[in-house]
Amino acid sequence: ALQPMTIESGDLSLVLDVEADADGSRIRVRATEPLLARSVTIRDAQKKALVEKLTLSLRPTIDYTATRVLAQLAELSLSMPAGDTITGTISAEITELATKPVIAFAAQLQTRVIAALKPFLAIDTGPLTATLATEGRMTGDTLVIQKSTSSVTREGGALLTSYELVQPLTLNLKTTTFTVPNPTATAARLKLGEVPLAWGEAFIAKAKLGGALTGGAFDVSLRSLEDLTISTTEPLTLRAVSATLDGKPMAQALDVTANLSATKKGDSVTYEVRRLELKQGEAALATLIVAGEAKLGAKLTIVAKGNLDADVAALMKQPAAAAFATLSRGRLTAVFAATIA
């Protein structure tokens, strides 16, 4: 049930121009001046602010006939005192009004996030800019996303993440299931930009992390939420990785690149690390190629088979192993099969 809310403050202004044919067969409504809601504060029943000093401006238009309705929210602008903003345009066309309405929609939105996410995040991301462009249609309980792209950048324009929908995605809102035309082909492409590893400190007790995830690109194919495949198309790359746990240095100045794929079906994940390289500067420390399966369930089981090539002496110079270092040089080459249960 909806909880009671109170509009504590704010004012609203709107000037509309309405035109109609004499027989009522067509009605056109447009804002001659933008709808403007200024300094709006809304509180819930416990007096907690849901929206505080929000300003909203937009220019709505509606064109109605017996067979079609066109609606648009143009010049949309929403802003908060801290500098958070949303701008863009949303439009819709509604047809088949007399039977089962079909709603075709499109949206182009740009968002600037300064403080709005701070209450919900354990990390300080700094200002973020996000863009979204999407097109689709809805009929009854069926929602089809035909096109969708989005990106998030950090202050200064550095990419944080982006995605592109490659195939139309059909969602059944009643059964919460979805389909794509070709379940084995790429449905979406994901790209990662620079993500500071220090953000992970909020989730690992007594940890200090340095370096960054500097890139990676993935293709995703979807059969269902329980049946999907993800595969790198550009290596997952981490640079200058360092880690200290509970005041004890564990790793320093490591570079990692990985090409991999994984398929999840229910509680089973089959994976293939086509190549993982561990370096320190130009020095190669280890190379790993491995494939196997993990059973997630109540008891985790991992099966792995692969090849490992490592410069053991160089690896033992890492802080976590330095106290046990006894080799001045040495190399390990192994073919292995392992089960962890």
Side-chain angles (χ1 to χ4, degrees), residues 266-284:
D267 290 335
S268 174
V269 177
T270 57
Y271 64 90
E272 180 184 9
V273 179
R274 296 187 291 273
R275 188 175 184 86
L276 184 149
E277 292 183 334
L278 183 65
K279 291 185 175 183
Q280 187 173 39
E282 295 299 319

Side-chain angles (χ1 to χ4, degrees), residues 65-120:
T65 67
T67 59
R68 184 181 71 169
V69 176
L70 298 176
Q72 184 181 61
L73 301 178
E75 301 176 22
L76 171 65
S77 176
L78 182 152
S79 62
M80 304 286 285
D84 302 88
T85 62
I86 299 175
T87 60
T89 300
I90 301 172
S91 60
E93 179 183 15
I94 308 172
T95 55
E96 309 295 335
L97 300 180
T99 54
K100 193 173 186 179
V102 177
I103 305 171
F105 61 87
Q108 297 83 37
L109 299 173
Q110 301 82 41
T111 303
R112 174 77 167 166
V113 181
I114 305 295
L117 294 180
K118 286 184 178 180
F120 310 102

Side-chain angles (χ1 to χ4, degrees), residues 248-260:
K248 299 176 181 179
M250 305 298 291
Q252 64 180 17
L254 295 178
D255 297 334
V256 183
T257 59
N259 280 293
L260 52 88

Side-chain angles (χ1 to χ4, degrees), residues 25 30 83 165 212 257 277 300:
S25 60
R30 64 183 181 88
L165 189 65
T257 59
E277 292 183 334
L300 177 65

Side-chain angles (χ1 to χ4, degrees), residues 167 179-188 219-224 227-231 263 265:
Q167 297 189 64
T179 59
V180 293
N182 186 345
T184 61
T186 298
D219 278 359
V220 180
S221 58
L222 300 166
R223 276 74 63 187
S224 72
D227 186 359
L228 56 90
T229 299
I230 184 168
S231 180
T263 296
K265 291 185 178 182

Side-chain angles (χ1 to χ4, degrees), residues 141-158:
D141 294 323
T142 301
L143 174 65
V144 180
I145 307 297
Q146 295 165 316
K147 297 180 181 179
S148 186
T149 60
S150 181
S151 67
V152 180
T153 57
R154 300 181 65 200
E155 186 79 346

Side-chain angles (χ1 to χ4, degrees), residues 193-222:
E194 185 166 328
V195 181
L197 297 184
W199 288 358
E201 294 174 6
F203 310 99
I204 304 175
K206 299 180 181 180
K208 291 292 182 183
L209 305 177
L213 189 159
T214 57
F218 307 85
D219 278 359
V220 180
S221 58
L222 300 166

